[in-house]
Short mmCIF file of all heavy atoms in Angstrom, two decimals:
data_model
loop_
_atom_site.label_atom_id
_atom_site.label_comp_id
_atom_site.label_asym_id
_atom_site.label_seq_id
_atom_site.Cartn_x
_atom_site.Cartn_y
_atom_site.Cartn_z
N HIS A 25 -62.23 -15.22 -10.99
CA HIS A 25 -61.73 -15.40 -9.62
C HIS A 25 -61.56 -16.86 -9.25
O HIS A 25 -62.30 -17.72 -9.79
CB HIS A 25 -62.74 -14.64 -8.69
CG HIS A 25 -62.80 -13.19 -8.88
ND1 HIS A 25 -61.81 -12.31 -8.53
CD2 HIS A 25 -63.74 -12.44 -9.44
CE1 HIS A 25 -62.14 -11.12 -8.86
NE2 HIS A 25 -63.29 -11.15 -9.44
N GLN A 49 -64.43 -26.61 13.84
CA GLN A 49 -63.27 -26.96 13.15
C GLN A 49 -63.31 -26.39 11.78
O GLN A 49 -64.25 -26.50 10.99
CB GLN A 49 -63.15 -28.51 13.10
CG GLN A 49 -62.94 -29.15 14.48
CD GLN A 49 -62.97 -30.65 14.40
OE1 GLN A 49 -63.35 -31.29 13.41
NE2 GLN A 49 -62.64 -31.28 15.52
N GLY A 66 -76.45 -21.38 6.64
CA GLY A 66 -77.45 -21.28 7.66
C GLY A 66 -78.72 -22.02 7.33
O GLY A 66 -79.10 -22.01 6.16
N GLY A 117 -86.61 -6.49 13.45
CA GLY A 117 -87.96 -6.82 13.92
C GLY A 117 -88.99 -6.12 13.08
O GLY A 117 -88.75 -5.73 11.92
N ALA A 159 -73.85 -8.60 6.02
CA ALA A 159 -74.79 -8.37 4.91
C ALA A 159 -76.19 -8.66 5.36
O ALA A 159 -76.69 -9.85 5.33
CB ALA A 159 -74.41 -9.30 3.77
N GLY A 170 -85.42 -19.98 -2.20
CA GLY A 170 -85.72 -18.97 -1.24
C GLY A 170 -87.22 -18.81 -1.04
O GLY A 170 -88.01 -19.50 -1.64
N PRO A 177 -94.73 -20.52 -8.15
CA PRO A 177 -95.62 -21.56 -8.57
C PRO A 177 -97.10 -21.30 -8.21
O PRO A 177 -98.03 -21.58 -8.99
CB PRO A 177 -95.09 -22.83 -7.89
CG PRO A 177 -93.72 -22.51 -7.56
CD PRO A 177 -93.64 -21.08 -7.32
N ALA A 205 -74.21 -6.80 -4.97
CA ALA A 205 -73.99 -6.14 -3.71
C ALA A 205 -72.92 -6.87 -2.80
O ALA A 205 -72.09 -6.25 -2.15
CB ALA A 205 -75.29 -5.95 -2.92
N VAL A 219 -74.57 -3.59 6.69
CA VAL A 219 -75.06 -3.01 5.46
C VAL A 219 -76.32 -3.69 4.98
O VAL A 219 -76.30 -4.94 4.81
CB VAL A 219 -73.95 -3.12 4.36
CG1 VAL A 219 -74.40 -2.43 3.08
CG2 VAL A 219 -72.62 -2.48 4.82
N THR A 244 -105.26 -12.35 -9.20
CA THR A 244 -104.77 -12.41 -7.77
C THR A 244 -105.99 -12.20 -6.92
O THR A 244 -106.03 -11.27 -6.15
CB THR A 244 -103.69 -11.35 -7.54
OG1 THR A 244 -104.24 -10.00 -7.90
CG2 THR A 244 -102.44 -11.62 -8.33
N LYS A 273 -79.30 2.43 3.09
CA LYS A 273 -78.58 3.74 3.19
C LYS A 273 -77.07 3.60 2.95
O LYS A 273 -76.53 4.31 2.09
CB LYS A 273 -78.83 4.36 4.57
CG LYS A 273 -78.20 5.73 4.75
CD LYS A 273 -78.45 6.31 6.11
CE LYS A 273 -77.78 7.66 6.23
NZ LYS A 273 -77.96 8.25 7.56
N ALA A 283 -79.47 -2.54 -10.46
CA ALA A 283 -79.96 -2.82 -11.77
C ALA A 283 -81.44 -2.91 -11.73
O ALA A 283 -82.13 -2.60 -12.77
CB ALA A 283 -79.39 -4.10 -12.29
#
Side-chain angles (χ1 to χ4, degrees):
H25 296 287
Q49 296 174 348
V219 180
T244 55
K273 181 180 179 182

